[in-house]
Amino acid sequence: MRIGVVGAGTMGAGVAESVARAGHDVTVVEPDQQAVDQARSRMRDSLRLAILLGRTDGPKPAEVTARVHWTGQITDLRAADVVVECVPERIELKEKVFAELDRVCARGTLLASCTSGIPVDRLAASTTRPEQVVGLHFMNPAPLKDTVEVVRGPRTSQQSLDRALALLTSLGKTGIVVGDGPGFLLNRVLMLCIAEAAAAVGDGIADAETTDSLFEGCLGHPMGPLRTADLIGLDNVHDTMTALRELTGDDHYRPPATLVALVEAGHLGRKTGRGFHEYR
């Protein structure tokens, strides 16, 4: 199966690695060479981590990286069977990408978005094939997460849904299907939790460590909301909240001042070594 990925950020690199680990060839479109270099490095680190964690039953790192092809041209996806869009969570940017994919890709290509909150049907409206558009909301880090939120738009065909689920099965992942709408299910709830937790820190009710410790110790969450936000990337959280506020008109999704200040200072979470928490 020939897979395309658009965007080489944290999620794009993670999806590409997951695909290559499963034995598929994957072409990643990213015109920014610095982003490509960072994605290559991120992938090498992830593959080394898998070995350290004892996941030695899969392909060797060199075999995985050999299946990943990098390009700056979206036209190189014309022969792809499935394309997964992983560009930043900005509505106009994603709509532009989907319109271009519709123009470039073969008529049988399944178009998927890794959007964390933009309705699939809105993206599908930028194409002439809305029945072939589906949401694949991978979690970060994509190679280590076994479940994917699959979003079926109102015009997504059963055949397209089946193809998306079959792809996930081939990656060793389980797809759970939900309906369409801003934030779908996970981020409709999660972004509110992160926003309120960040606001509570800003109001001086508790610091970030205390906040996460309460969620982890009292509720049994493996990771509290602010540590989760740091893992997602605070820039991605900010973009998702902004999109949800625009799409819903609900001010509860307004990015809190504490989050905005961290993003503006370049403290984006784990990937920069500092967010609500500090990381080595």
Side-chain angles (χ1 to χ4, degrees):
M1 190 182 298
R2 296 161 298 185
I3 311 296
V5 172
V6 182
T10 300
M11 188 53 70
V15 171
E17 180 187 333
S18 299
V19 170
R21 277 180 184 271
H24 303 300
D25 285 333
V26 55
T27 299
V28 183
V29 178
E30 177 54 71
D32 184 340
Q33 187 57 48
Q34 183 178 1
V36 170
D37 293 341
Q38 291 173 342
R40 288 178 185 269
S41 176
R42 194 179 295 118
M43 191 176 296
R44 287 193 296 268
D45 290 344
S46 176
L47 291 167
R48 283 195 293 265
L49 176 61
I51 293 174
L52 291 174
L53 292 175
R55 298 179 64 169
T56 57
D57 55 340
K60 295 179 180 179
E63 295 173 345
V64 175
T65 55
R67 296 187 186 116
V68 184
H69 312 284
W70 307 87
T71 179
Q73 304 298 321
I74 201 167
T75 51
D76 289 337
L77 299 181
R78 59 170 57 92
D81 299 303
V82 182
V83 176
V84 184
E85 167 273 310
C86 297
V87 303
E89 195 72 0
R90 295 164 196 161
I91 297 172
E92 290 184 359
L93 175 59
K94 287 185 181 288
E95 289 176 333
K96 180 180 178 181
V97 169
F98 267 84
E100 196 160 3
L101 287 173
D102 185 53
R103 179 181 61 81
V104 166
C105 295
R107 294 310 302 172
T109 303
L110 178 67
L111 304 181
S113 177
C114 197
T115 175
S116 56
I118 301 169
V120 166
D121 201 47
R122 176 155 182 171
L123 300 178
S126 298
T127 76
T128 60
R129 60 179 94 181
E131 71 284 355
Q132 291 173 229
V133 179
V134 66
L136 293 179
H137 183 201
F138 287 83
M139 303 297 112
N140 186 39
L144 299 181
K145 297 292 185 177
D146 294 331
T147 304
V148 176
E149 185 179 35
V150 179
V151 186
R152 181 176 190 171
R155 292 182 284 179
T156 304
S157 70
Q158 185 63 47
Q159 181 184 27
S160 295
L161 185 65
D162 290 343
R163 289 178 65 191
L165 292 170
L167 171 63
L168 294 177
T169 298
S170 78
L171 304 185
K173 300 184 185 297
T174 299
I176 297 179
V177 180
V178 300
D180 202 10
F184 320 126
L185 179 59
L186 282 178
N187 277 342
R188 179 172 177 170
V189 177
L190 178 60
M191 291 300 138
L192 290 174
C193 183
I194 292 173
E196 289 300 322
V201 169
D203 291 342
I205 295 173
D207 60 17
E209 184 62 39
T210 301
T211 300
D212 284 332
S213 294
L214 281 168
F215 275 83
E216 293 158 10
C218 294
L219 301 180
H221 291 194
M223 189 180 296
L226 301 181
R227 265 189 267 273
T228 299
D230 281 349
L231 179 61
I232 295 170
L234 300 189
D235 51 341
N236 296 326
V237 171
H238 181 279
D239 286 345
T240 300
M241 287 184 182
T242 299
L244 289 176
R245 181 169 176 264
E246 177 182 340
L247 291 163
T248 65
D250 187 342
D251 262 0
H252 286 99
Y253 291 109
R254 182 190 298 272
T258 45
L259 172 63
V260 173
L262 287 169
V263 171
E264 289 180 346
H267 303 315
L268 308 180
R270 284 185 176 272
K271 60 187 173 183
T272 61
R274 179 178 172 188
F276 286 103
H277 300 273
E278 293 191 7
Y279 304 89
R280 293 182 179 179

